[in-house]
Amino acid sequence: MLPVMGDETCAITLKVNGATLRLQVAPWTTLLDLLRERLGLTGTKKGCDHGQCGACTVLVDGVRINSCLSLAVMRDGASVTTVEGLAEGEALHPLQQAFIDHDAFQCGYCTPGQLCSAVGLLAEGHASTDDQIRELMSGNLCRCGAYPNIVAAIGQAMRPRRSA
Amino acid sequence: MTTGKPHDRVDGRAKVTGQARYAGEFSAPDLVHGVVVTTAIARGKIVRIDAAEALALPGVLQVFTHENAPRLAWRDRSWRDMVAPGGSPLRPLHDAEIQFSGQPVALVVAESFELARHAAGLVVVVVEAAPHQTRLAEVEAEAHEPARGKKGYTPPPKPRGRADEALAAAPVRVEATYEHPALHHNPMEPHATTVVVEADGNLTIHDKTQGVGNSRDYVCKVFGLSTDQVRVVTPFVGGGFGSGLRPQYQLFLAVLAARELRRSVRVVLTRQQMFTLGYRPWTRQRVALGAERDGSLRALVHEAVGNTSRFEDYCENVVPWSGVLYECPNTRLEYGVAPLDLYTPIDARAPGAVTGLWALESAIDELADALDLDPLALRLRNYAEEDQDHRRPFSSKALRDCYREGAARFGWHRRSRAPRSMRAGPLQIGWGMATGIWEAQQAPSQAKALLTADGRLHVASASGEIGPGTYTIMSQIAAEQLGLPIAAVRFELGDTALPPAMIQGGSATASSVGSAVLAVCKALQHSLLKLAQTMPDSPFAGRGLDDVVFLDRGLRLRSGTADAVPIAAIMRHAGLGSLAEQATAIPDMARQSRYTSNAHSAVFVEVAVDEALGTVTVKRVVSAVAGGRILNPKTARSQILGGVVWGIGMALEEHSMLDHGLGRFVNHNLGEYHVPVHADVPEIDVLFVEERDDVVNPLGVKGLGEIGIVGVAAAIANAVFHATGRRIRELPITLDKLL
Ligand code: FES
Ligand code: FES
């Protein structure tokens, strides 16, 4: 019989949306499942669990990653930002506001991933044209087909940066 | 006016902050997790299921199989949901028979998701395989008329004239066979159900469904429960596109486990398992057109065969559109279904129309080429002014405006006719177009409303929000009717405790639920007017609803200078803290049945083809839509964008690939089943032409969820032909077909 890993847990420390958490996690728990099942942060979505859709995108130390492809224990000491951590209180992140302004979602299921991915994209600073946005956002699928509006929303959020 | 103006989604904030909760995201203190085990063979029998190793793990609660599942309803009738086709629906874990690859054969339930998943891998299913058939061409001869029973299915109309003779006699003829593979919906949210067992034993179910009532009734019938024991609550759905029209097997399995274990249970399907659900059926079609040299159509033959399963006759309206879209004296339309050892297909965005128009609109383009006529001119030459099959007028049809305005926006007049005549550097450029059509429908729905003295309005109906903007447009309708700011209105949906609404599908929510919201608001208006008339010196004495308007939180006369009376004052005078109404909107069949009501579109596409690599890139799309009154141009545009993106996927990428040796869809993941990504989707220009229709429903809307996709695949294939001179009649147009 294979060993059951559920019983043995590891102690890790994670900063999640600014709060420092000390957690006992099973080694087989992904960062995605930790967020959704243990921490109740269901804003981060599971679309495939295989790194193929981007719905689970979160920021780890400011870098966008697919949280379904990362075991929680691999991120000991890291700082994680999920969609729940983008707004400052009532004030939405400029990208969140831009998504609303441009109707950049329909069902909303891909949206948290698109948003976190877009935050990561802006931080990377590699995109300045719409085609570059399209290319660098292509890991985030949207079955509702909100793509043109997502590109427009990211463009809006990028604009102040462009003119700076 | 609140309707007709672009309005941000009222649920936008919930969606961008991660607060919108989907079926698999509800929880309960006693929640346990179920993981489904599916079979790997397409046909045969389960000999034995060995779950001992899984059950030996601490924390694994049970492995449900056909050997230990309780006996439930025995009549097919009890398993048939509201939109089931004819036949015998799947009964998960019912017996040892295997009817398709991917059939659920066990549910492993454990204290944690990871443990359940691990244990599911330990369950050994010993099977005895029987020969299977998954090739459509080999069963085409077995095609038959579908068994009756599927809601919304209409058998093809009788032939008109003598199509085959007229075809033989026509000076110009084209004839070809078109095919597209099975296509899976793949909403981003996997199918999921969370069953919460309440303290009194009743079930609160969060199910991924397009119809909470359908899921509730199914559970009640199958498990022998009464409707007050089961409540289905689904405020948000992460995309449906038809996949949530019928209750899916995770609902059954989650309820079964919850009842047996007396624990709350969640079952979420994996992406791989999403390919074990229904799909748009694999369909082969033959279209033959005969015309005079001036382009006038003389004969039209359209025959289609789509696949179904061996146990249900899934069917859809593939060919009727061909009888209604163009003027033609001789038509013969035929449709049949042929059984394969696969799961039953299910409606997918614009079911039937997407399929039929892909073939018809490709054939029209082939005819234009044969005649050396402009494809748009050919369509205008054969423009139908009435529904010839039913000999009745259209309630409205602004398709000519779609053609004109779409062509102008696209710059169609600059197209050079000959294939291979447009280039951009090393790339061949192609311009193609096609027509889209979808029926405007209305189904009975109910709504209730509560107006409180503080000027807030709560409206509710058990409709759904799969993404079209239901929350938003219903709030707009209600706000407009009572002269309230939209922020004062709260619309609630997705709960069987609310008044019943039609299943969210077929682009009929705005017309059906919208009409119910309109009706309940009219009832409130009526009550408020009555109350206002009892006020001292009421300016409304002897006036009817036609004489008054609700504006700026008040009531005033439409004409004259009398001051508005605030709603709050009316209610205060009547001593009322709140006012409640409930209303039902049913279609005016006597009137509607005298007309044919369809939404239309004209879609124009530019592609660039790299002939060295065989790659096709869609460069731009113009979609001109006649969809009746547009309630919210912002969300309406998004619906069309989504449809066009689906059309791009269907034309160039999507293909549920069958391995006929295994009888299984083998590219069952999002890495190998290609849906369009950001980089595949260009600028899409959507325009709505003016269209008034006071027949379709009281709001004059036609619905927009489907029309955006119809015709897109043909427009792209036509553009590829224009670019390369090669006519691809089998979708998707992948590079191997162009090299
Ligand atoms: S859920 Fe992680 S990429 Fe799809
Ligand atoms: S908004 Fe539905 S998948 Fe993107």
Side-chain angles (χ1 to χ4, degrees), chain B residues 201-224:
Chain B
N202 288 347
L203 305 179
T204 302
I205 302 175
H206 307 283
D207 181 40
K208 175 169 175 135
T209 175
Q210 292 173 234
V212 286
N214 197 21
S215 291
R216 194 255 330 253
D217 290 358
Y218 172 84
V219 167
C220 288
K221 286 195 297 180
V222 166
F223 291 92

Short mmCIF file of all heavy atoms in Angstrom, two decimals, chain B residues 201-224:
data_model
loop_
_atom_site.label_atom_id
_atom_site.label_comp_id
_atom_site.label_asym_id
_atom_site.label_seq_id
_atom_site.Cartn_x
_atom_site.Cartn_y
_atom_site.Cartn_z
N GLY B 201 -32.45 17.55 8.26
CA GLY B 201 -32.32 16.50 7.25
C GLY B 201 -32.62 16.96 5.84
O GLY B 201 -32.36 16.24 4.88
N ASN B 202 -33.18 18.15 5.72
CA ASN B 202 -33.42 18.67 4.37
C ASN B 202 -32.11 19.00 3.67
O ASN B 202 -31.08 19.20 4.32
CB ASN B 202 -34.30 19.93 4.43
CG ASN B 202 -35.73 19.58 4.80
OD1 ASN B 202 -36.12 18.41 4.77
ND2 ASN B 202 -36.50 20.59 5.15
N LEU B 203 -32.17 19.05 2.35
CA LEU B 203 -30.95 19.27 1.58
C LEU B 203 -30.95 20.66 0.96
O LEU B 203 -31.93 21.07 0.33
CB LEU B 203 -30.84 18.24 0.46
CG LEU B 203 -30.91 16.76 0.86
CD1 LEU B 203 -30.80 15.87 -0.37
CD2 LEU B 203 -29.80 16.42 1.86
N THR B 204 -29.85 21.38 1.16
CA THR B 204 -29.61 22.61 0.40
C THR B 204 -28.49 22.28 -0.57
O THR B 204 -27.41 21.86 -0.16
CB THR B 204 -29.19 23.77 1.32
OG1 THR B 204 -30.22 23.97 2.28
CG2 THR B 204 -28.98 25.05 0.52
N ILE B 205 -28.81 22.43 -1.85
CA ILE B 205 -27.87 21.97 -2.87
C ILE B 205 -27.37 23.14 -3.70
O ILE B 205 -28.17 23.92 -4.23
CB ILE B 205 -28.57 20.93 -3.79
CG1 ILE B 205 -29.08 19.76 -2.96
CG2 ILE B 205 -27.61 20.45 -4.88
CD1 ILE B 205 -29.88 18.75 -3.77
N HIS B 206 -26.06 23.25 -3.79
CA HIS B 206 -25.46 24.23 -4.67
C HIS B 206 -24.95 23.46 -5.88
O HIS B 206 -23.99 22.70 -5.77
CB HIS B 206 -24.34 24.98 -3.95
CG HIS B 206 -24.79 25.56 -2.64
ND1 HIS B 206 -25.56 26.70 -2.57
CD2 HIS B 206 -24.64 25.13 -1.37
CE1 HIS B 206 -25.85 26.95 -1.30
NE2 HIS B 206 -25.30 26.01 -0.56
N ASP B 207 -25.64 23.62 -6.97
CA ASP B 207 -25.35 22.78 -8.13
C ASP B 207 -25.02 23.67 -9.31
O ASP B 207 -25.65 24.70 -9.53
CB ASP B 207 -26.59 21.93 -8.45
CG ASP B 207 -26.37 21.01 -9.64
OD1 ASP B 207 -25.27 20.44 -9.75
OD2 ASP B 207 -27.31 20.85 -10.45
N LYS B 208 -24.04 23.24 -10.07
CA LYS B 208 -23.75 23.99 -11.30
C LYS B 208 -24.83 23.64 -12.31
O LYS B 208 -24.82 22.56 -12.91
CB LYS B 208 -22.38 23.62 -11.85
CG LYS B 208 -22.16 24.32 -13.20
CD LYS B 208 -20.77 24.24 -13.71
CE LYS B 208 -20.75 24.86 -15.09
NZ LYS B 208 -19.66 25.76 -15.29
N THR B 209 -25.77 24.53 -12.49
CA THR B 209 -26.90 24.26 -13.36
C THR B 209 -27.41 25.53 -13.99
O THR B 209 -27.26 26.61 -13.42
CB THR B 209 -28.05 23.60 -12.56
OG1 THR B 209 -29.20 23.45 -13.42
CG2 THR B 209 -28.47 24.45 -11.37
N GLN B 210 -28.03 25.39 -15.14
CA GLN B 210 -28.67 26.53 -15.78
C GLN B 210 -30.14 26.62 -15.39
O GLN B 210 -30.85 27.50 -15.87
CB GLN B 210 -28.50 26.43 -17.31
CG GLN B 210 -27.04 26.61 -17.73
CD GLN B 210 -26.77 26.37 -19.19
OE1 GLN B 210 -25.89 25.57 -19.52
NE2 GLN B 210 -27.48 27.04 -20.08
N GLY B 211 -30.57 25.69 -14.55
CA GLY B 211 -31.95 25.73 -14.09
C GLY B 211 -32.07 25.10 -12.72
O GLY B 211 -32.08 23.87 -12.59
N VAL B 212 -32.14 25.94 -11.68
CA VAL B 212 -32.21 25.38 -10.32
C VAL B 212 -33.46 24.50 -10.17
O VAL B 212 -33.42 23.47 -9.49
CB VAL B 212 -32.17 26.48 -9.24
CG1 VAL B 212 -30.77 27.05 -9.10
CG2 VAL B 212 -33.19 27.59 -9.52
N GLY B 213 -34.54 24.88 -10.82
CA GLY B 213 -35.77 24.10 -10.72
C GLY B 213 -35.61 22.73 -11.35
O GLY B 213 -36.16 21.73 -10.85
N ASN B 214 -34.87 22.66 -12.43
CA ASN B 214 -34.65 21.38 -13.10
C ASN B 214 -33.86 20.45 -12.20
O ASN B 214 -34.20 19.28 -12.03
CB ASN B 214 -33.90 21.62 -14.42
CG ASN B 214 -33.99 20.43 -15.37
OD1 ASN B 214 -34.89 19.59 -15.25
ND2 ASN B 214 -33.06 20.35 -16.30
N SER B 215 -32.81 20.96 -11.56
CA SER B 215 -32.01 20.14 -10.65
C SER B 215 -32.86 19.69 -9.46
O SER B 215 -32.79 18.54 -9.02
CB SER B 215 -30.79 20.91 -10.15
OG SER B 215 -29.88 21.12 -11.20
N ARG B 216 -33.64 20.62 -8.91
CA ARG B 216 -34.46 20.29 -7.75
C ARG B 216 -35.47 19.18 -8.09
O ARG B 216 -35.58 18.17 -7.39
CB ARG B 216 -35.20 21.55 -7.26
CG ARG B 216 -35.81 21.45 -5.89
CD ARG B 216 -37.33 21.29 -5.86
NE ARG B 216 -38.07 21.88 -6.94
CZ ARG B 216 -38.81 23.00 -6.83
NH1 ARG B 216 -38.84 23.65 -5.70
NH2 ARG B 216 -39.50 23.43 -7.87
N ASP B 217 -36.16 19.34 -9.20
CA ASP B 217 -37.18 18.36 -9.56
C ASP B 217 -36.56 16.99 -9.84
O ASP B 217 -37.13 15.95 -9.50
CB ASP B 217 -37.97 18.84 -10.78
CG ASP B 217 -38.85 20.04 -10.45
OD1 ASP B 217 -38.86 20.45 -9.27
OD2 ASP B 217 -39.52 20.56 -11.36
N TYR B 218 -35.39 17.01 -10.48
CA TYR B 218 -34.70 15.75 -10.78
C TYR B 218 -34.35 15.01 -9.48
O TYR B 218 -34.65 13.83 -9.33
CB TYR B 218 -33.43 16.08 -11.58
CG TYR B 218 -32.49 14.92 -11.83
CD1 TYR B 218 -32.68 14.03 -12.88
CD2 TYR B 218 -31.36 14.74 -11.02
CE1 TYR B 218 -31.79 12.99 -13.11
CE2 TYR B 218 -30.47 13.71 -11.24
CZ TYR B 218 -30.69 12.83 -12.29
OH TYR B 218 -29.81 11.80 -12.52
N VAL B 219 -33.77 15.73 -8.55
CA VAL B 219 -33.40 15.11 -7.27
C VAL B 219 -34.64 14.57 -6.57
O VAL B 219 -34.65 13.45 -6.05
CB VAL B 219 -32.64 16.13 -6.38
CG1 VAL B 219 -32.52 15.62 -4.94
CG2 VAL B 219 -31.27 16.42 -6.96
N CYS B 220 -35.70 15.36 -6.59
CA CYS B 220 -36.94 14.91 -5.92
C CYS B 220 -37.48 13.64 -6.56
O CYS B 220 -37.87 12.70 -5.86
CB CYS B 220 -37.99 16.01 -5.96
SG CYS B 220 -37.59 17.38 -4.87
N LYS B 221 -37.51 13.60 -7.89
CA LYS B 221 -38.10 12.44 -8.56
C LYS B 221 -37.23 11.19 -8.37
O LYS B 221 -37.73 10.10 -8.10
CB LYS B 221 -38.27 12.73 -10.05
CG LYS B 221 -39.43 13.67 -10.34
CD LYS B 221 -39.82 13.65 -11.81
CE LYS B 221 -38.72 14.15 -12.70
NZ LYS B 221 -39.09 14.13 -14.12
N VAL B 222 -35.92 11.37 -8.52
CA VAL B 222 -35.02 10.22 -8.46
C VAL B 222 -34.95 9.65 -7.04
O VAL B 222 -34.96 8.44 -6.85
CB VAL B 222 -33.62 10.61 -8.98
CG1 VAL B 222 -32.60 9.54 -8.61
CG2 VAL B 222 -33.66 10.83 -10.48
N PHE B 223 -34.89 10.52 -6.05
CA PHE B 223 -34.71 10.06 -4.67
C PHE B 223 -36.04 9.98 -3.91
O PHE B 223 -36.04 9.69 -2.71
CB PHE B 223 -33.72 10.95 -3.93
CG PHE B 223 -32.30 10.81 -4.43
CD1 PHE B 223 -31.83 11.64 -5.42
CD2 PHE B 223 -31.46 9.82 -3.93
CE1 PHE B 223 -30.52 11.51 -5.91
CE2 PHE B 223 -30.17 9.68 -4.40
CZ PHE B 223 -29.69 10.52 -5.40
N GLY B 224 -37.13 10.28 -4.59
CA GLY B 224 -38.42 10.18 -3.93
C GLY B 224 -38.59 11.19 -2.80
O GLY B 224 -39.12 10.88 -1.74
#
